Amino acid sequence: MERDDDFEQYSELFSRNNISYRKQNGVTWYPISIVSSEIGLGEYLSIDIERTTNHNEPHQFSGGKIVSLFSNLYPGETPLSGTVKVLGPNKLRIALSVDELPDWCDDGKLGINLSFDEASYREMDFALDKVIRASGNRLAAIRDVIYDNRTPEFEKIPHQFDIEKLNASQNEAVRKILSACDIAIIHGPPGTGKTTTLVQAIKQVLKTEKQVLVCSPSNTAVDLLTEKLHREGVTVLRLGNPARVSEDVLSNTLDAKVAAHESYKDLKNYRKTADEYFRMAGKYKRTLGREEREQRQLFYQEGKKILQEARVLEDYMINDQFDKAQVIACTPVVSSSKMMRDRQFTTVFIDEAAQALEPMSWIPITRSDRVIFAGDHFQLPPTVKSKRPEAAQLKETLFEKAMNLENVSIMLNMQYRMHEHIMHFSNRQFYDENLLAAENVKHRLLSNDEHDHLLNTAVTYIDTAGCGYNEKVNPESLSISNEEEAILLLKHLKLLLHQYNPLEKRRREISVGIISPYKEQVLLIEDLIRNDDELQNTPIKIVVKTVDGFQGQERDVIYISLVRSNDTKEIGFLNDIRRMNVALTRAKSKLVVIGDSSTLANHPFYKSFIDYIEEIQAYVSAWEFYE
């Protein structure tokens, strides 16, 4: 159902809307030009494309996404399918599974569309089939443990130990992982050092295992683990497409490791020679004489023969990298790729497991003897696109099912990110008040000066009730914005930055994030900032994103624009309180939430939040900012 409904939504977007609308929604680039092409890793043809107009417009393309190259001049030609390898603001490198570009690529009017990701569904289906059929093996044992038909087993650790850089709950989590025969869980609420704990656990496991698999549905989470493991001296092979272009991540990718291999020069020479033959064959592309066709065929065959020799050398180099790696890091779908088909692991670590659909989690588990989950089921849930009631079952992840098992999970209880007032509401709502704020963050404010009234409190709620700040629906995207609320937010931000002023007061520069659950509000705020001279000239970096864009991140100051303001008390997307938990726990020293209490307070979560705001005396009316 999920696959069918996802495909239907995709098809509707492309069949009902013209290129202009799709460009606005970031799913099409048009027009584009092909800047260069070369034979890349795995014999894929690699092309670099760039936008020729609409520079720097937001889009939904990212590393690993499937795309199709099309011609508006030849609409009847079958588009070329490929994978995004490298991403810039206006450039993409795409790996295509063809030997050469067809003739229609030479005539201009080219574009690329985001394609439907059939491969993920195929791999999930294949993994589920393996799980269902498993009998008398490790996969069957893990399945039966997670479904509570078998008791999880733990071995006694030969000696008790504490890793110096970890706190008590983090050390307990590492011990749980080392003793688990089937499954263990690190439950890591915001700011509790989940990644740090995972890295130390992986290092301990590598003392007894030659190689482990590390996965996450989030490319950013895979990159973060790759980076931290690399810095700890662990040899990591990062498969797939890095989302963060940091040196530590890129140097661990398969492409970079192959490029650094002692035999790479020979491989390059093979490819260069093959390219030359293909180029000579291309000269005869549009000629129809028999001799020319034969000549073209000869050049083409020679190029293919040299490529065959290159493939043998490349396979050797790739296998060499796999054999040397202590950690293979990738997304679940990539763990089932051609290069991984014959590889089995004793342990798989799945980070951000509470964001992965159950079938997605099973993909890497099918190639391991035990699984270690890490995540927080009170933060972002997986995205389920189907609206059918039956498909809602997909919202319960394998992580959540396993959290119900006795004795398999350890919650990290010391958070190192935020002031206790920022932490406390989420702590009460989601974590049974088990979270503690570390001493160095507990009372950390932007300023302790009593005159800095915008800086010397950790939380502010600005209530727009009664102000007539009515929400507006974009008829095309159906997303919602609230212009008056956005203007008020930026007014407050400018007052706060003026009071903080690092240039005048010799304070360190701070980071600012603005979050809204609605894409339309994000676009509106970005537009307002672009047209505001004061905010354009501030030395402080301001980032505006939806909740999902801030997952796993933190900022000194966070603003949240809740947008909803209507007479029917409809709050739509805000009903997803797990998403709101993510938003409320990104700030380190200052959290400012703006919303209409008369619309929000009918929901018990937001009623509790407003009660909490009054309890800590953080309530301000929007009327106070009227001149």
Side-chain angles (χ1 to χ4, degrees):
M1 285 178 184
E2 174 69 3
R3 183 228 166 266
D4 292 347
D5 291 359
D6 189 6
F7 183 66
E8 193 180 317
Q9 288 169 34
Y10 168 83
S11 301
E12 272 186 22
L13 176 65
F14 278 86
S15 61
R16 290 188 180 182
N17 299 297
N18 59 24
I19 280 185
S20 176
Y21 178 79
R22 299 199 315 259
K23 279 163 68 176
Q24 281 175 14
N25 276 268
V27 295
T28 296
W29 280 10
Y30 181 87
I32 59 155
S33 63
I34 297 172
V35 181
S36 64
S37 67
E38 63 174 20
I39 298 160
L41 199 62
E43 266 182 56
Y44 290 119
L45 185 67
S46 202
I47 63 167
D48 287 339
I49 64 136
E50 66 179 10
R51 296 198 258 200
T52 52
T53 61
N54 303 91
H55 289 157
N56 301 318
E57 272 192 1
H59 60 80
Q60 296 182 42
F61 291 86
S62 61
K65 289 277 178 83
I66 310 298
V67 295
S68 59
L69 178 71
F70 67 90
S71 166
N72 227 17
L73 207 57
Y74 301 99
E77 295 287 352
T78 306
L80 289 181
S81 183
T83 306
V84 176
K85 296 291 284 179
V86 181
L87 183 73
N90 300 300
K91 288 186 178 181
L92 293 178
R93 177 166 294 163
I94 301 167
L96 302 166
S97 48
V98 291
D99 294 322
E100 59 178 340
L101 291 169
D103 296 347
W104 53 260
C105 289
D106 300 334
D107 296 337
K109 295 214 170 179
L110 300 177
I112 56 162
N113 288 325
L114 263 184
S115 294
F116 181 68
D117 185 8
E118 181 70 58
S120 293
Y121 287 104
R122 194 170 54 245
E123 292 302 340
M124 287 193 275
D125 206 34
F126 183 65
L128 282 182
D129 196 46
K130 273 174 88 172
V131 176
I132 290 163
R133 288 187 290 105
S135 176
N137 58 12
R138 285 304 303 153
L139 181 56
I142 294 172
R143 176 198 64 203
D144 293 345
V145 166
I146 292 175
Y147 276 87
D148 209 9
N149 294 322
R150 185 171 164 270
T151 306
E153 292 179 22
F154 294 87
E155 290 175 349
K156 197 166 172 56
I157 304 173
H159 57 278
Q160 287 293 90
F161 69 92
D162 277 335
I163 298 165
E164 210 173 289
K165 56 177 83 172
L166 301 185
N167 66 36
S169 65
Q170 291 171 332
N171 269 305
E172 194 185 348
V174 174
R175 287 194 290 272
K176 177 65 78 178
I177 287 166
L178 295 180
S179 65
C181 299
D182 312 290
I183 179 173
I185 299 176
I186 298 178
H187 177 201
T192 52
K194 173 171 61 73
T195 307
T196 301
T197 309
L198 261 185
V199 166
Q200 293 305 318
I202 291 165
K203 282 181 72 180
Q204 291 297 320
V205 168
L206 285 170
K207 288 180 178 178
T208 55
E209 296 173 25
K210 184 177 178 287
Q211 193 175 69
V212 300
L213 177 60
V214 174
C215 288
S216 172
S218 150
N219 264 306
T220 307
V222 180
D223 288 343
L224 184 60
L225 278 165
T226 299
E227 207 171 287
K228 293 207 167 189
L229 285 162
H230 175 79
R231 287 182 186 167
E232 290 277 332
V234 177
T235 309
V236 188
L237 179 59
R238 168 66 162 106
L239 299 181
N241 297 273
R244 295 158 42 144
V245 191
S246 84
E247 201 50 53
D248 282 346
V249 173
L250 282 179
S251 64
N252 288 283
T253 59
L254 185 57
D255 293 54
K257 283 179 181 279
V258 166
H261 198 279
E262 56 193 17
S263 301
Y264 184 65
K265 199 175 174 185
D266 298 333
L267 181 67
K268 240 182 149 183
N269 288 334
Y270 277 133
R271 284 182 180 160
K272 194 176 173 186
T273 310
D275 256 341
E276 195 62 33
Y277 277 110
F278 288 138
R279 194 178 58 76
M280 289 190 286
K283 285 181 180 176
Y284 297 96
K285 225 177 189 183
R286 301 193 180 209
T287 52
L288 301 172
R290 186 171 64 84
E291 282 182 27
E292 286 90 346
R293 278 204 306 272
E294 283 175 2
Q295 189 62 50
R296 179 175 190 251
Q297 196 58 30
L298 281 172
F299 282 139
Y300 193 67
Q301 281 171 354
E302 195 59 37
K304 289 286 276 183
K305 197 170 99 182
I306 292 165
L307 266 190
Q308 183 64 39
E309 291 173 41
R311 186 195 291 146
V312 173
L313 179 59
E314 186 181 271
D315 285 349
Y316 157 72
M317 290 160 70
I318 287 171
N319 285 327
D320 194 32
Q321 296 311 319
F322 270 94
D323 291 342
K324 285 175 180 170
Q326 293 172 283
V327 170
I328 310 286
C330 57
T331 58
V333 173
V334 173
S335 75
S336 64
S337 63
K338 193 171 67 178
M339 288 182 282
M340 291 280 281
R341 283 277 144 85
D342 302 322
R343 296 187 178 271
Q344 275 296 124
F345 301 85
T346 304
T347 307
V348 58
F349 289 83
I350 305 180
D351 192 16
E352 305 293 7
Q355 278 186 58
L357 295 173
E358 175 173 342
M360 186 68 78
S361 291
W362 281 118
I363 297 172
I365 296 173
T366 59
R367 51 188 71 250
S368 62
D369 294 342
R370 64 177 190 141
V371 58
I372 311 301
F373 286 129
D376 180 8
H377 52 306
F378 298 124
Q379 291 189 66
L380 287 186
T383 302
V384 176
K385 296 188 177 178
S386 176
K387 300 290 186 282
R388 290 188 257 182
E390 302 93 329
Q393 292 173 59
L394 281 171
K395 285 181 178 166
E396 188 184 11
T397 62
L398 214 49
F399 181 94
E400 284 177 87
K401 285 176 181 166
M403 279 295 293
N404 294 322
L405 302 173
E406 277 184 43
N407 197 36
V408 301
S409 67
I410 299 293
M411 180 176 133
L412 308 180
N413 64 5
M414 180 72 73
Q415 70 83 13
Y416 298 91
R417 174 180 296 160
M418 57 201 125
H419 188 285
E420 62 181 353
H421 282 181
I422 299 171
M423 171 194 83
H424 197 69
F425 178 69
S426 285
N427 194 16
R428 196 184 276 179
Q429 288 287 315
F430 297 100
Y431 305 110
D432 297 326
E433 305 211 38
N434 288 323
L435 268 184
L436 303 167
E439 282 302 319
N440 61 331
V441 302
K442 198 174 186 178
H443 305 298
R444 184 178 59 198
L445 295 165
L446 293 174
S447 170
N448 292 309
D449 188 329
E450 60 179 34
H451 301 297
D452 292 337
H453 66 285
L454 297 178
L455 312 176
N456 61 17
T457 55
V459 181
T460 301
Y461 173 70
I462 304 174
D463 190 358
T464 65
C467 293
Y469 290 4
N470 292 328
E471 63 188 55
K472 290 193 180 85
V473 180
N474 179 325
E476 285 188 326
S477 67
L478 300 181
S479 187
I480 299 170
S481 64
N482 189 322
E483 189 172 1
E484 290 92 346
E485 185 174 292
I487 291 166
L488 174 64
L489 185 153
L490 294 182
K491 184 176 186 176
H492 188 277
L493 171 59
K494 286 192 279 189
L495 290 169
L496 183 143
L497 294 180
H498 181 72
Q499 203 168 94
Y500 187 79
N501 199 337
L503 296 177
E504 261 179 38
K505 303 187 180 178
R506 297 187 181 177
R507 288 170 168 156
R508 66 178 180 85
E509 281 190 16
I510 51 171
S511 53
V512 175
I514 301 174
I515 301 176
S516 179
Y518 292 93
K519 182 78 179 167
E520 198 67 28
Q521 186 76 342
V522 168
L523 295 172
L524 171 64
I525 292 170
E526 284 178 330
D527 195 45
L528 289 171
I529 290 173
R530 264 194 301 273
N531 293 300
D532 189 302
D533 289 343
E534 188 179 334
L535 291 174
Q536 282 298 304
N537 294 321
T538 179
I540 289 165
K541 193 179 178 199
I542 302 164
V543 177
V544 191
K545 288 181 181 177
T546 58
V547 181
D548 297 51
F550 272 102
Q551 169 76 348
Q553 297 190 36
E554 60 187 24
R555 296 290 187 277
D556 294 299
V557 179
I558 286 285
Y559 279 80
I560 303 174
S561 172
L562 294 174
V563 178
R564 301 311 299 259
S565 181
N566 55 69
D567 296 333
T568 55
K569 320 297 183 197
E570 181 65 44
I571 66 166
F573 211 39
L574 300 187
N575 275 301
D576 189 343
I577 61 172
R578 281 167 60 168
R579 269 193 162 75
M580 197 45 56
N581 183 36
V582 174
L584 292 170
T585 53
R586 299 304 99 196
K588 289 155 71 171
S589 301
K590 182 73 182 181
L591 172 68
V592 182
V593 182
I594 305 180
D596 178 354
S597 64
S598 65
T599 299
L600 299 168
N602 288 282
H603 189 289
F605 177 83
Y606 296 97
K607 168 78 171 64
S608 298
F609 178 68
I610 291 161
D611 289 346
Y612 172 68
I613 288 297
E614 286 174 347
E615 183 188 315
I616 62 169
Q617 300 179 331
Y619 180 93
V620 179
S621 169
W623 292 106
E624 293 181 30
F625 296 95
Y626 274 81
E627 289 169 357

